[in-house]
Coordinates of all heavy atoms in Angstrom, one line a residue:
K1 N 19.8 133.2 -82.1 CA 21.0 132.9 -82.8 C 21.7 131.6 -82.4 O 21.8 131.4 -81.2 CB 22.1 134.1 -82.6 CG 21.6 135.3 -83.1 CD 22.7 136.4 -82.8 CE 22.1 137.8 -83.1 NZ 23.0 138.9 -82.8
S2 N 22.1 130.9 -83.3 CA 22.8 129.6 -83.0 C 24.1 129.8 -82.4 O 24.9 130.6 -82.9 CB 22.8 128.7 -84.2 OG 23.6 127.6 -83.9
P3 N 24.5 129.2 -81.3 CA 25.8 129.4 -80.7 C 27.0 128.8 -81.7 O 28.2 129.1 -81.5 CB 25.8 128.7 -79.4 CG 24.7 127.7 -79.5 CD 23.7 128.3 -80.5
D4 N 26.5 127.9 -82.6 CA 27.6 127.2 -83.5 C 27.8 128.0 -84.8 O 28.6 127.5 -85.6 CB 27.2 125.8 -83.7 CG 27.1 125.0 -82.4 OD1 27.9 125.3 -81.5 OD2 26.3 124.1 -82.4
R5 N 27.1 129.1 -85.0 CA 27.3 129.7 -86.2 C 28.6 130.7 -86.2 O 28.9 131.2 -85.1 CB 26.1 130.5 -86.7 CG 25.8 131.8 -85.9 CD 24.7 132.6 -86.5 NE 24.4 133.7 -85.8 CZ 25.1 134.8 -85.7 NH1 26.1 135.0 -86.5 NH2 24.7 135.9 -85.0
P6 N 29.2 131.0 -87.4 CA 30.4 131.9 -87.4 C 29.9 133.3 -87.0 O 28.7 133.7 -87.2 CB 30.8 131.9 -88.8 CG 30.1 130.8 -89.4 CD 29.0 130.4 -88.7
M7 N 30.8 134.1 -86.4 CA 30.5 135.4 -86.0 C 30.4 136.3 -87.3 O 31.1 136.2 -88.2 CB 31.6 135.9 -85.1 CG 31.4 137.3 -84.5 SD 32.8 137.7 -83.4 CE 32.3 139.3 -83.0
K8 N 29.5 137.2 -87.2 CA 29.3 138.2 -88.3 C 29.7 139.6 -87.8 O 29.7 139.8 -86.6 CB 27.8 138.2 -88.8 CG 27.3 136.9 -89.4 CD 26.0 137.1 -90.0 CE 24.8 137.1 -89.0 NZ 23.5 137.3 -89.8
P9 N 30.1 140.5 -88.7 CA 30.5 141.8 -88.3 C 29.4 142.5 -87.4 O 29.7 143.2 -86.4 CB 30.7 142.5 -89.5 CG 31.1 141.5 -90.6 CD 30.2 140.2 -90.1
S10 N 28.2 142.3 -87.7 CA 27.2 142.9 -87.0 C 27.0 142.5 -85.5 O 26.6 143.2 -84.6 CB 25.7 142.7 -87.7 OG 25.4 141.4 -87.7
D11 N 27.6 141.2 -85.2 CA 27.6 140.7 -83.9 C 28.5 141.6 -83.0 O 28.4 141.7 -81.8 CB 28.0 139.3 -83.8 CG 27.1 138.3 -84.5 OD1 25.9 138.7 -84.6 OD2 27.6 137.2 -84.9
A12 N 29.5 142.2 -83.7 CA 30.5 143.1 -82.9 C 30.1 144.5 -83.1 O 30.9 145.4 -82.7 CB 31.9 142.8 -83.5
G13 N 29.0 144.8 -83.6 CA 28.6 146.2 -83.8 C 29.2 146.9 -85.0 O 29.4 148.2 -85.0
L14 N 29.7 146.1 -85.9 CA 30.5 146.7 -87.0 C 29.6 146.6 -88.2 O 28.7 145.7 -88.5 CB 31.7 145.9 -87.4 CG 32.8 145.8 -86.2 CD1 33.9 145.0 -86.7 CD2 33.3 147.3 -85.9
N15 N 29.6 147.6 -89.2 CA 28.9 147.7 -90.4 C 29.8 148.0 -91.5 O 29.8 149.2 -92.0 CB 27.8 148.7 -90.3 CG 26.6 148.3 -89.3 OD1 26.3 147.2 -89.3 ND2 26.3 149.3 -88.4
P16 N 30.5 147.0 -92.0 CA 31.5 147.4 -93.1 C 30.8 147.7 -94.3 O 29.7 147.1 -94.6 CB 32.3 146.1 -93.2 CG 31.6 145.0 -92.6 CD 30.6 145.7 -91.6
A17 N 31.4 148.5 -95.2 CA 30.8 148.8 -96.5 C 30.8 147.5 -97.4 O 31.7 146.7 -97.3 CB 31.6 149.8 -97.2
A18 N 29.7 147.4 -98.2 CA 29.6 146.2 -99.1 C 30.7 146.3 -100.1 O 31.1 147.4 -100.6 CB 28.3 146.2 -99.8
E19 N 31.4 145.2 -100.4 CA 32.5 145.1 -101.4 C 31.8 144.9 -102.7 O 30.8 144.1 -102.9 CB 33.4 144.0 -101.1 CG 34.3 144.3 -99.9 CD 35.4 143.4 -99.6 OE1 35.9 142.8 -100.6 OE2 35.8 143.3 -98.6
R20 N 32.5 145.4 -103.8 CA 32.1 145.3 -105.2 C 33.0 144.4 -105.8 O 34.3 144.3 -105.5 CB 32.1 146.7 -105.8 CG 31.7 146.7 -107.2 CD 31.6 148.1 -107.8 NE 33.0 148.6 -107.9 CZ 33.4 149.2 -109.0 NH1 32.6 149.6 -109.9 NH2 34.7 149.6 -109.1
A21 N 32.5 143.6 -106.8 CA 33.5 142.7 -107.5 C 34.5 143.4 -108.3 O 34.3 144.6 -108.7 CB 32.5 141.9 -108.4
E22 N 35.6 142.8 -108.5 CA 36.7 143.4 -109.3 C 36.3 143.1 -110.7 O 36.0 141.9 -111.1 CB 38.0 142.8 -108.9 CG 39.2 143.2 -109.7 CD 40.5 142.7 -109.2 OE1 41.0 143.3 -108.2 OE2 40.9 141.7 -109.8
F23 N 36.5 144.1 -111.7 CA 36.2 143.9 -113.1 C 37.5 143.9 -113.8 O 38.4 144.8 -113.8 CB 35.4 145.1 -113.6 CG 34.0 145.1 -113.2 CD1 33.6 145.7 -112.0 CD2 33.0 144.4 -114.0 CE1 32.3 145.7 -111.6 CE2 31.7 144.5 -113.5 CZ 31.3 145.1 -112.3
A24 N 37.7 142.8 -114.6 CA 38.9 142.7 -115.5 C 38.7 143.5 -116.7 O 37.7 143.4 -117.4 CB 39.2 141.3 -115.9
V25 N 39.5 144.6 -116.8 CA 39.3 145.6 -117.9 C 40.3 145.5 -119.0 O 40.1 145.9 -120.1 CB 39.1 147.0 -117.4 CG1 37.9 147.2 -116.5 CG2 40.4 147.5 -116.6
I26 N 41.4 144.8 -118.7 CA 42.4 144.5 -119.7 C 42.8 143.1 -119.5 O 43.3 142.7 -118.4 CB 43.7 145.5 -119.6 CG1 43.2 147.0 -119.7 CG2 44.8 145.2 -120.6 CD1 44.3 148.0 -119.4
L27 N 42.9 142.4 -120.7 CA 43.5 141.0 -120.7 C 44.4 140.9 -121.8 O 44.1 141.2 -123.0 CB 42.3 140.0 -120.8 CG 41.4 139.8 -119.6 CD1 40.4 138.8 -120.0 CD2 42.3 139.3 -118.3
D28 N 45.7 140.5 -121.5 CA 46.7 140.3 -122.5 C 46.8 141.4 -123.5 O 47.0 141.2 -124.7 CB 46.3 139.0 -123.3 CG 47.6 138.3 -123.9 OD1 48.7 138.7 -123.5 OD2 47.5 137.4 -124.8
G29 N 46.8 142.7 -122.9 CA 47.0 143.8 -123.8 C 45.8 144.3 -124.6 O 45.9 145.2 -125.4
Y30 N 44.7 143.8 -124.3 CA 43.4 144.2 -125.0 C 42.4 144.7 -123.9 O 42.1 144.1 -122.9 CB 42.7 143.0 -125.8 CG 43.6 142.6 -127.0 CD1 44.5 141.5 -126.8 CD2 43.6 143.3 -128.1 CE1 45.3 141.1 -127.9 CE2 44.4 142.8 -129.2 CZ 45.3 141.8 -129.1 OH 46.0 141.4 -130.1
V31 N 41.6 145.8 -124.3 CA 40.7 146.3 -123.5 C 39.3 145.5 -123.6 O 38.9 145.2 -124.6 CB 40.3 147.8 -123.8 CG1 39.2 148.4 -123.0 CG2 41.6 148.7 -123.7
M32 N 38.9 145.2 -122.5 CA 37.5 144.4 -122.3 C 36.5 145.5 -122.2 O 36.1 145.9 -121.1 CB 37.5 143.5 -121.1 CG 38.8 142.5 -121.1 SD 38.9 141.5 -122.5 CE 37.5 140.5 -122.3
E33 N 36.0 146.0 -123.3 CA 35.2 147.2 -123.4 C 33.9 147.0 -122.6 O 33.4 147.9 -121.9 CB 34.9 147.6 -124.8 CG 36.2 148.2 -125.4 CD 36.0 148.7 -126.8 OE1 34.8 149.3 -127.1 OE2 36.9 148.7 -127.6
E34 N 33.3 145.9 -122.7 CA 32.0 145.6 -121.9 C 32.2 145.6 -120.4 O 31.4 146.2 -119.7 CB 31.5 144.3 -122.3 CG 30.0 144.0 -121.9 CD 29.0 145.1 -122.4 OE1 29.1 145.5 -123.6 OE2 28.0 145.5 -121.6
N35 N 33.4 145.0 -120.1 CA 33.6 145.1 -118.6 C 33.9 146.5 -118.1 O 33.5 146.9 -117.0 CB 34.8 144.2 -118.3 CG 34.5 142.8 -118.3 OD1 33.4 142.4 -118.7 ND2 35.5 141.9 -118.1
L36 N 34.6 147.3 -118.9 CA 34.8 148.7 -118.6 C 33.5 149.4 -118.4 O 33.3 150.2 -117.5 CB 35.6 149.3 -119.8 CG 36.4 150.6 -119.5 CD1 37.3 150.5 -118.4 CD2 37.1 151.0 -120.7
K37 N 32.5 149.2 -119.3 CA 31.2 149.8 -119.2 C 30.5 149.3 -117.9 O 29.9 150.2 -117.2 CB 30.4 149.5 -120.4 CG 30.8 150.2 -121.6 CD 29.9 149.8 -122.8 CE 30.4 150.3 -124.1 NZ 29.7 149.8 -125.3
Q38 N 30.6 148.1 -117.6 CA 29.9 147.5 -116.5 C 30.4 148.2 -115.2 O 29.5 148.2 -114.3 CB 30.1 146.0 -116.5 CG 29.4 145.2 -117.5 CD 27.8 145.3 -117.3 OE1 27.4 145.3 -116.2 NE2 27.1 145.4 -118.3
C39 N 31.6 148.5 -115.1 CA 32.1 149.1 -113.9 C 31.9 150.5 -113.8 O 32.4 151.3 -112.9 CB 33.5 148.7 -113.6 SG 34.8 149.4 -114.6
G40 N 31.2 151.1 -114.9 CA 31.0 152.5 -115.0 C 32.2 153.4 -115.4 O 32.2 154.6 -115.0
K41 N 33.2 152.8 -116.1 CA 34.4 153.6 -116.5 C 34.4 153.7 -118.0 O 33.7 152.9 -118.7 CB 35.6 152.9 -115.9 CG 35.6 152.7 -114.4 CD 35.5 154.0 -113.7 CE 35.5 153.8 -112.3 NZ 35.0 155.0 -111.5
D42 N 35.3 154.6 -118.5 CA 35.5 154.6 -120.0 C 37.0 154.7 -120.3 O 37.9 154.6 -119.3 CB 34.7 155.9 -120.5 CG 35.2 157.2 -119.8 OD1 36.3 157.3 -119.2 OD2 34.5 158.2 -120.0
L43 N 37.3 154.9 -121.6 CA 38.7 154.9 -122.0 C 39.4 156.1 -121.4 O 40.6 156.0 -121.2 CB 38.7 154.9 -123.5 CG 38.4 153.6 -124.2 CD1 38.4 153.7 -125.6 CD2 39.4 152.4 -123.8
N44 N 38.8 157.2 -121.2 CA 39.5 158.3 -120.5 C 40.0 158.0 -119.1 O 41.0 158.3 -118.8 CB 38.5 159.7 -120.5 CG 38.3 160.2 -121.9 OD1 39.1 160.1 -122.8 ND2 37.1 160.8 -122.1
W45 N 39.1 157.4 -118.4 CA 39.5 157.0 -117.0 C 40.6 155.9 -117.1 O 41.5 156.1 -116.3 CB 38.3 156.3 -116.3 CG 38.6 155.6 -115.0 CD1 38.8 156.1 -113.9 CD2 39.0 154.2 -114.9 NE1 39.1 155.2 -112.9 CE2 39.3 154.0 -113.5 CE3 39.1 153.0 -115.7 CZ2 39.8 152.8 -113.0 CZ3 39.5 151.9 -115.2 CH2 39.8 151.7 -113.9
L46 N 40.6 155.0 -118.1 CA 41.6 154.0 -118.2 C 42.9 154.7 -118.6 O 44.0 154.4 -118.0 CB 41.3 152.9 -119.3 CG 42.1 151.8 -119.5 CD1 42.3 151.0 -118.1 CD2 41.6 150.9 -120.6
N47 N 43.0 155.6 -119.4 CA 44.1 156.3 -119.8 C 44.7 157.1 -118.6 O 45.9 157.2 -118.4 CB 43.9 157.2 -121.0 CG 43.7 156.4 -122.4 OD1 44.4 155.4 -122.4 ND2 42.9 156.9 -123.3
H48 N 43.8 157.7 -117.9 CA 44.2 158.5 -116.7 C 44.9 157.6 -115.7 O 45.9 157.9 -115.1 CB 43.0 159.2 -116.1 CG 43.4 160.0 -114.9 ND1 43.3 159.4 -113.6 CD2 43.7 161.2 -114.7 CE1 43.7 160.4 -112.7 NE2 44.0 161.5 -113.3
E49 N 44.3 156.4 -115.4 CA 44.9 155.6 -114.5 C 46.1 155.0 -114.9 O 47.1 154.7 -114.1 CB 43.8 154.4 -114.2 CG 42.7 154.8 -113.4 CD 43.0 155.2 -112.0 OE1 43.6 154.3 -111.2 OE2 42.9 156.4 -111.6
M50 N 46.3 154.7 -116.3 CA 47.6 154.1 -116.8 C 48.6 155.2 -116.6 O 49.7 154.9 -116.2 CB 47.5 153.8 -118.3 CG 46.6 152.5 -118.4 SD 46.3 152.0 -120.2 CE 47.8 152.5 -121.1
H51 N 48.3 156.5 -116.8 CA 49.3 157.5 -116.6 C 49.7 157.6 -115.1 O 50.8 157.8 -114.9 CB 48.7 158.9 -117.1 CG 49.6 160.1 -116.9 ND1 50.7 160.2 -117.8 CD2 49.6 161.1 -116.0 CE1 51.3 161.3 -117.4 NE2 50.7 161.8 -116.3
R52 N 48.7 157.4 -114.2 CA 48.9 157.5 -112.8 C 50.0 156.4 -112.4 O 50.9 156.6 -111.5 CB 47.6 157.4 -112.0 CG 47.8 157.3 -110.5 CD 46.4 157.2 -109.9 NE 45.9 155.9 -110.1 CZ 46.3 154.8 -109.4 NH1 47.2 154.8 -108.4 NH2 45.7 153.6 -109.7
L53 N 49.8 155.3 -113.1 CA 50.7 154.1 -112.8 C 52.0 154.2 -113.6 O 52.9 153.3 -113.4 CB 49.9 152.8 -113.1 CG 48.7 152.5 -112.2 CD1 48.0 151.3 -112.6 CD2 49.1 152.4 -110.7
G54 N 52.2 155.1 -114.5 CA 53.4 155.2 -115.3 C 53.4 154.2 -116.5 O 54.5 153.8 -116.8
I55 N 52.3 153.7 -117.0 CA 52.3 152.8 -118.0 C 51.9 153.5 -119.3 O 50.8 154.3 -119.3 CB 51.2 151.7 -117.8 CG1 51.6 151.0 -116.5 CG2 51.1 150.7 -118.9 CD1 50.6 150.0 -115.9
G56 N 52.6 153.3 -120.3 CA 52.5 154.0 -121.5 C 51.5 153.5 -122.6 O 50.9 154.2 -123.3
S57 N 51.3 152.2 -122.5 CA 50.4 151.5 -123.6 C 49.6 150.3 -123.0 O 50.1 149.7 -122.2 CB 51.4 151.0 -124.7 OG 50.6 150.2 -125.6
I58 N 48.4 150.3 -123.5 CA 47.6 149.1 -123.1 C 48.2 147.8 -123.4 O 48.1 146.9 -122.6 CB 46.2 149.2 -123.7 CG1 45.4 150.4 -123.1 CG2 45.4 148.0 -123.6 CD1 44.2 150.8 -123.9
G59 N 49.0 147.8 -124.5 CA 49.7 146.6 -124.9 C 50.7 146.1 -124.0 O 51.2 145.0 -124.1
D60 N 51.2 147.0 -123.0 CA 52.1 146.6 -122.0 C 51.5 145.9 -120.8 O 52.3 145.4 -119.9 CB 52.8 147.9 -121.5 CG 53.8 148.6 -122.6 OD1 54.1 147.8 -123.5 OD2 54.0 149.8 -122.5
I61 N 50.2 145.8 -120.8 CA 49.5 145.2 -119.6 C 49.0 143.9 -119.8 O 48.3 143.6 -120.9 CB 48.3 146.1 -119.1 CG1 48.9 147.5 -118.9 CG2 47.6 145.6 -118.0 CD1 47.7 148.5 -118.6
F62 N 49.4 142.9 -119.0 CA 48.9 141.5 -119.1 C 47.5 141.4 -118.5 O 46.7 140.8 -119.0 CB 49.9 140.6 -118.3 CG 49.4 139.2 -118.2 CD1 49.3 138.4 -119.4 CD2 49.0 138.6 -117.0 CE1 48.8 137.2 -119.3 CE2 48.5 137.4 -116.9 CZ 48.4 136.6 -118.1
Y63 N 47.3 142.1 -117.3 CA 46.0 142.0 -116.6 C 45.8 143.3 -115.9 O 46.7 143.8 -115.2 CB 46.0 140.9 -115.6 CG 44.8 140.9 -114.8 CD1 43.6 140.2 -115.4 CD2 44.7 141.3 -113.5 CE1 42.4 140.2 -114.6 CE2 43.5 141.3 -112.8 CZ 42.4 140.7 -113.4 OH 41.2 140.6 -112.5
G64 N 44.6 143.9 -116.2 CA 44.2 145.1 -115.5 C 42.9 145.1 -115.0 O 42.0 144.5 -115.7
A65 N 42.7 145.5 -113.8 CA 41.4 145.4 -113.2 C 40.9 146.6 -112.4 O 41.8 147.3 -111.9 CB 41.3 144.2 -112.2
C66 N 39.7 146.9 -112.5 CA 39.1 148.1 -111.6 C 38.5 147.4 -110.4 O 37.5 146.6 -110.5 CB 38.0 148.7 -112.5 SG 37.1 150.1 -111.5
G67 N 39.0 147.8 -109.3 CA 38.6 147.3 -108.0 C 37.6 148.1 -107.3 O 37.1 149.2 -107.9
S68 N 37.2 147.8 -106.1 CA 36.2 148.5 -105.4 C 36.6 149.9 -105.0 O 35.8 150.7 -104.7 CB 35.8 147.7 -104.1 OG 36.9 147.5 -103.3
D69 N 37.9 150.2 -105.0 CA 38.5 151.5 -104.8 C 38.5 152.4 -106.0 O 38.9 153.6 -105.9 CB 39.9 151.5 -104.2 CG 40.8 150.7 -105.1 OD1 40.4 150.3 -106.2 OD2 42.1 150.7 -104.8
N70 N 37.9 151.9 -107.0 CA 37.8 152.6 -108.4 C 39.2 153.0 -109.0 O 39.3 154.1 -109.7 CB 37.0 153.9 -108.2 CG 35.6 153.6 -108.1 OD1 35.0 152.7 -108.8 ND2 34.8 154.2 -107.2
K71 N 40.2 152.2 -108.6 CA 41.5 152.4 -109.2 C 41.9 151.3 -110.0 O 41.5 150.1 -109.7 CB 42.5 152.7 -108.0 CG 42.3 154.0 -107.4 CD 43.4 154.2 -106.3 CE 43.2 155.5 -105.6 NZ 44.2 155.7 -104.6
L72 N 42.8 151.5 -111.0 CA 43.3 150.4 -111.8 C 44.4 149.7 -111.1 O 45.4 150.3 -110.6 CB 43.7 151.0 -113.1 CG 44.5 150.0 -114.2 CD1 43.3 149.0 -114.7 CD2 45.0 150.7 -115.3
S73 N 44.3 148.4 -111.1 CA 45.4 147.6 -110.6 C 46.0 146.9 -111.9 O 45.1 146.3 -112.6 CB 44.9 146.4 -109.7 OG 44.4 147.1 -108.5
A74 N 47.2 147.0 -112.2 CA 47.8 146.4 -113.4 C 49.0 145.6 -113.2 O 49.9 146.0 -112.4 CB 48.1 147.6 -114.4
Y75 N 49.1 144.6 -114.0 CA 50.3 143.8 -114.1 C 50.8 143.7 -115.4 O 50.2 143.4 -116.4 CB 49.9 142.2 -113.6 CG 49.3 142.3 -112.3 CD1 48.0 142.4 -112.1 CD2 50.1 142.1 -111.1 CE1 47.3 142.3 -110.8 CE2 49.5 142.0 -109.9 CZ 48.2 142.2 -109.7 OH 47.7 142.2 -108.4
K76 N 52.0 144.2 -115.5 CA 52.8 144.3 -116.8 C 53.0 142.9 -117.5 O 53.2 142.0 -116.8 CB 54.0 145.2 -116.8 CG 53.8 146.6 -116.5 CD 55.1 147.4 -116.6 CE 54.8 148.9 -116.5 NZ 56.1 149.7 -116.7
M77 N 53.2 142.9 -118.8 CA 53.6 141.7 -119.5 C 55.1 141.5 -119.2 O 55.8 142.5 -119.1 CB 53.3 141.9 -121.0 CG 51.8 141.9 -121.4 SD 51.7 141.1 -122.9 CE 50.1 141.7 -123.3
V78 N 55.4 140.2 -119.2 CA 56.9 139.8 -119.0 C 57.3 139.6 -120.5 O 56.8 138.8 -121.1 CB 56.9 138.6 -118.3 CG1 58.4 138.2 -118.1 CG2 56.3 138.9 -116.9
K79 N 58.3 140.4 -120.9 CA 58.9 140.4 -122.3 C 59.9 139.2 -122.4 O 59.9 138.5 -123.4 CB 59.5 141.7 -122.7 CG 58.7 142.9 -122.6 CD 57.7 143.0 -123.7 CE 57.0 144.3 -123.7 NZ 55.7 144.3 -124.3
D80 N 60.7 139.0 -121.3 CA 61.7 138.0 -121.4 C 61.2 136.7 -120.9 O 60.4 136.6 -120.1 CB 62.9 138.4 -120.5 CG 63.6 139.7 -121.0 OD1 63.5 139.9 -122.3 OD2 64.0 140.4 -120.2
K81 N 61.8 135.7 -121.5 CA 61.4 134.3 -121.1 C 62.1 134.0 -119.7 O 63.2 134.4 -119.5 CB 62.0 133.3 -122.1 CG 61.2 132.0 -122.3 CD 61.8 131.2 -123.5 CE 61.0 130.0 -123.6 NZ 61.6 129.1 -124.6
P82 N 61.3 133.4 -118.8 CA 61.8 133.1 -117.5 C 63.1 132.2 -117.6 O 63.1 131.2 -118.4 CB 60.8 132.4 -116.7 CG 59.5 132.5 -117.6 CD 59.9 132.9 -118.9
K83 N 64.1 132.5 -116.7 CA 65.3 131.7 -116.8 C 65.1 130.2 -116.2 O 65.7 129.2 -116.5 CB 66.4 132.4 -116.1 CG 66.9 133.5 -116.8 CD 68.0 134.3 -116.2 CE 68.6 135.4 -117.0 NZ 68.0 136.6 -117.0
N84 N 64.2 130.1 -115.2 CA 64.0 128.9 -114.6 C 62.5 128.4 -114.8 O 61.8 128.1 -114.0 CB 64.2 129.0 -113.0 CG 63.4 130.2 -112.5 OD1 62.7 130.9 -113.2 ND2 63.3 130.2 -111.2
D85 N 62.2 128.1 -116.2 CA 60.9 127.7 -116.5 C 60.7 126.2 -115.9 O 61.5 125.3 -116.3 CB 60.9 127.7 -118.1 CG 59.5 127.3 -118.6 OD1 58.5 127.0 -117.7 OD2 59.2 127.4 -119.8
I86 N 59.6 126.0 -115.2 CA 59.4 124.7 -114.6 C 58.9 123.7 -115.6 O 58.9 122.5 -115.3 CB 58.4 124.9 -113.4 CG1 57.0 125.4 -113.9 CG2 58.9 125.7 -112.4 CD1 55.9 125.3 -112.9
F87 N 58.6 124.1 -116.8 CA 58.1 123.1 -117.8 C 59.1 122.6 -118.7 O 58.9 121.8 -119.6 CB 56.9 123.7 -118.6 CG 55.7 124.1 -117.6 CD1 55.5 125.4 -117.4 CD2 55.0 123.1 -117.1 CE1 54.4 125.7 -116.5 CE2 53.9 123.3 -116.3 CZ 53.6 124.7 -116.0
Q88 N 60.4 123.0 -118.4 CA 61.5 122.5 -119.3 C 62.2 121.4 -118.7 O 62.4 121.4 -117.6 CB 62.4 123.6 -119.7 CG 61.7 124.6 -120.6 CD 62.7 125.7 -121.1 OE1 63.9 125.8 -120.6 NE2 62.3 126.5 -122.0

């Protein structure tokens, strides 16, 4: 082992679980059905996760993703225009 290389978890006797990529499953209020299939989920799972988060409609979600923990992370759409828009 080269003394100049970065330390790896195995050097410290650790074996962390491999991380899985996050799949974007909702973009701008629309379901990305192929991504939903790729992460092994379906619309029933999506509806259950939305209910768990207290979100009533897919159209309310700006971005939703299925992470390595198999839970939906969702960011709601902003209905109101920002008061301090940096582009004005």
Side-chain angles (χ1 to χ4, degrees):
K1 296 179 189 176
S2 169
D4 297 329
R5 73 171 174 81
M7 185 174 175
K8 295 192 283 182
S10 60
D11 294 337
L14 301 174
N15 293 315
E19 289 190 27
R20 183 177 71 138
E22 180 176 275
F23 287 88
V25 294
I26 300 173
L27 289 175
D28 204 19
Y30 293 96
V31 176
M32 309 302 291
E33 293 185 29
E34 191 61 34
N35 290 0
L36 197 58
K37 288 178 190 174
Q38 288 293 321
C39 70
K41 305 299 178 196
D42 59 17
L43 288 175
N44 288 330
W45 171 85
L46 186 57
N47 288 325
H48 178 270
E49 287 295 298
M50 287 174 43
H51 179 74
R52 180 182 66 80
L53 296 172
I55 300 171
S57 170
I58 290 170
D60 293 337
I61 300 174
F62 172 69
Y63 176 79
C66 176
S68 60
D69 59 356
N70 290 319
K71 292 184 179 179
L72 178 68
S73 299
Y75 300 89
K76 289 186 173 185
M77 290 215 196
V78 176
K79 305 280 185 203
D80 298 328
K81 213 175 182 184
K83 292 181 172 84
N84 56 349
D85 188 354
I86 62 171
F87 297 108
Q88 288 185 354

